[in-house]
Amino acid sequence: MRTEDKPFIHMMKTPLSNYLYDVNTNMFVGLDENTYIHLKKVEQGECGLEDSDDECIRRNMDILLEQGFLSVKHPKEIRHGHSDLIDWYLNENIRQIALQVTQQCNFRCAYCVYCAGDFELQRNHSSKRMPIETALAAVDFFIARCGNQEHPAIAFYGGEPLLEFPIIQKVVEYAEDKMYGKKLTFAITTNASLLTVDIARFFMEHNFVTTISLDGTPETHDKSRRFANDGRGSFAVIQDNLKKIMEHCPEFKFSFNIVTDPRFPCDSIHQLFSKNSLFRKARVTSTLINDQFSVEKTVPGDVFLYQHDQYMFQSYLSLLGIYDRNNVSRVAFAELISSFEQIKDSMKPSKSLPDVAAPGGPCIAGEMRLFVNTDGNLFPCERVSETSEVMNIGNLWDGFDYSKVDRLLNIAQSTAEKCKNCWAFQHCILCCTHSDNCGELSAALRLSQCNRVRAQVEETFRNYLWMREFDIPYDMMKQEV
């Protein structure tokens, strides 16, 4: 059976039920076992919808068709719906700008894409710093292009941004004066080795969202996050700084971000952020090591997977009232809630896919988190490679290169035929950075990640279905551990 003649569907099972995911309507339908088996064969091209002698199955096919499911429609053309509005978004609607105030860092983290080693696809740490004139020009550039944003944000990035705290102070003062009347927010991610009580008070006075990088216990953290000058571990310094701040400025709010190396056990990390009073007070998020620009790829170890699944399972049980919420890992619970939030926003039903559409993933480069490096060059966000010519979408003085932005937004055109026929079309997470192959946009590189993405989407779907099966309210999920 030809792909274009088959219903655009994906079949799934959970421990409690069988499901049809209908791509056109972006909806799930619960099925009995026989109907599920039949549609699974249809999905695999082994038979047609009506190729069954079972009267009940045939009747179910008719009902599903009458209700608008099982459409064979696929997009005819891959093109993002915002393609004709790029200039408007980038001239009126930029949400956040991130300033790379320095390319230097006082740490040399083992997994950092900016450290010397095999990360040749990225720059290394350098002595470059953003001149104050460039920083203020970036603020002016942002002001001229965030008119529709009631809550604009300015973030500071590095290297370690606190190495250039005087520049941060001047930018904050300038932005608050120029953007008076806006509900302006500032953000910073820091290793906290230079964080002091006075800086914490400054952050509080100027509406900062502060994220601290801390990877776990001293043993875990110091394995990767070491000082550049002498190779010492940094956990003790960070802990002492936070103790002083909590003593003199207890109202200071911050969150932690953990970079987890899945090759090693994670039990101690979960325990630290759940049991230690100093670290338990703050919100926590976690990410796996980003090996996109690394020759060596990180393969999760068996012990990590076992411990991670154990803590995630306890989080599930806590939502059912079977496991004490107070004993749940805050790291695992935050990961679970993030998954729920992601699927909640993407499961909007529709009547049908449009003829012209684009898979999920790409955003308008620069509209959400415009990144400005020390030289004043513009990039879609801080996650892309600064050495990649295809990711450089302009500069502060000449403005945006709209043709480049359009190409990045429509990156899926390079894999159009595969994308048109993929059941994960609406939930794909591949953006332009996943196609960047040493400064060239590679269709092969993009396609090489499709199986991983489909597995991730299916896992997210299972979370969504589990939530529906047990009737878990969203408000319950938002409760802090």
Side-chain angles (χ1 to χ4, degrees), residues 54-117:
D54 189 314
E55 184 177 344
C56 181
I57 291 177
R58 293 172 65 89
R59 184 168 61 250
N60 287 341
M61 295 303 100
D62 291 339
I63 293 173
L64 288 169
L65 287 167
E66 289 173 3
Q67 293 180 342
F69 300 110
L70 303 179
S71 171
V72 300
K73 183 176 182 180
H74 291 240
K76 296 179 180 178
E77 178 185 351
I78 297 296
R79 183 158 177 80
H80 200 284
H82 291 159
S83 297
D84 296 330
L85 298 173
I86 288 175
D87 57 344
W88 179 82
Y89 274 101
L90 293 181
N91 284 288
E92 302 287 345
N93 212 49
I94 297 180
R95 307 180 197 182
Q96 175 177 297
I97 191 168
L99 308 184
Q100 184 189 61
V101 293
T102 179
Q103 289 189 355
Q104 188 54 274
C105 185
N106 59 338
F107 281 14
R108 290 297 181 268
C109 300
Y111 51 72
C112 179
V113 296
Y114 299 133
C115 287

Side-chain angles (χ1 to χ4, degrees), residues 98-165:
L99 308 184
Q100 184 189 61
V101 293
T102 179
Q103 289 189 355
Q104 188 54 274
C105 185
N106 59 338
F107 281 14
R108 290 297 181 268
C109 300
Y111 51 72
C112 179
V113 296
Y114 299 133
C115 287
D118 64 359
F119 301 104
E120 70 275 7
L121 305 186
Q122 263 286 30
R123 65 163 176 82
N124 291 328
H125 287 305
S126 78
S127 59
K128 279 189 175 182
R129 58 194 293 270
M130 180 176 281
I132 186 60
E133 296 80 10
T134 302
L136 300 186
V139 174
D140 290 336
F141 188 91
F142 182 45
I143 291 172
R145 293 164 176 81
C146 69
N148 285 336
Q149 293 297 326
E150 184 179 357
H151 300 275
I154 298 176
F156 299 97
Y157 193 79
E160 169 50 46
L162 288 185
L163 287 170
E164 298 294 340
F165 183 62

Side-chain angles (χ1 to χ4, degrees), residues 10 12 21-22 25-28 316 319 334-349 423-429 453-469 472-474 477-478:
H10 180 61
M12 289 186 60
Y21 170 64
D22 187 80
T25 62
N26 197 32
M27 294 176 64
F28 286 95
Y316 281 108
L319 290 176
E335 182 180 335
L336 179 62
I337 299 311
S338 175
S339 175
F340 283 141
E341 288 295 326
Q342 177 185 345
I343 194 66
K344 171 189 174 185
D345 294 335
S346 63
M347 290 305 302
K348 296 177 181 178
W423 62 262
F425 184 87
Q426 299 198 59
H427 299 271
C428 181
I429 59 172
V453 170
R454 280 191 286 266
Q456 185 172 336
V457 172
E458 191 161 84
E459 180 64 23
T460 304
F461 278 177
R462 293 187 196 284
N463 284 337
Y464 174 77
L465 294 170
W466 176 85
M467 177 190 66
R468 289 203 332 182
E469 289 170 350
I472 305 295
Y474 283 111
M477 297 178 206
K478 293 180 179 179

Side-chain angles (χ1 to χ4, degrees), residues 303-314:
V303 176
F304 171 86
L305 293 173
Y306 173 80
Q307 292 177 348
H308 174 269
D309 290 349
Q310 177 187 26
Y311 284 112
M312 291 299 294
F313 185 58
Q314 291 170 353

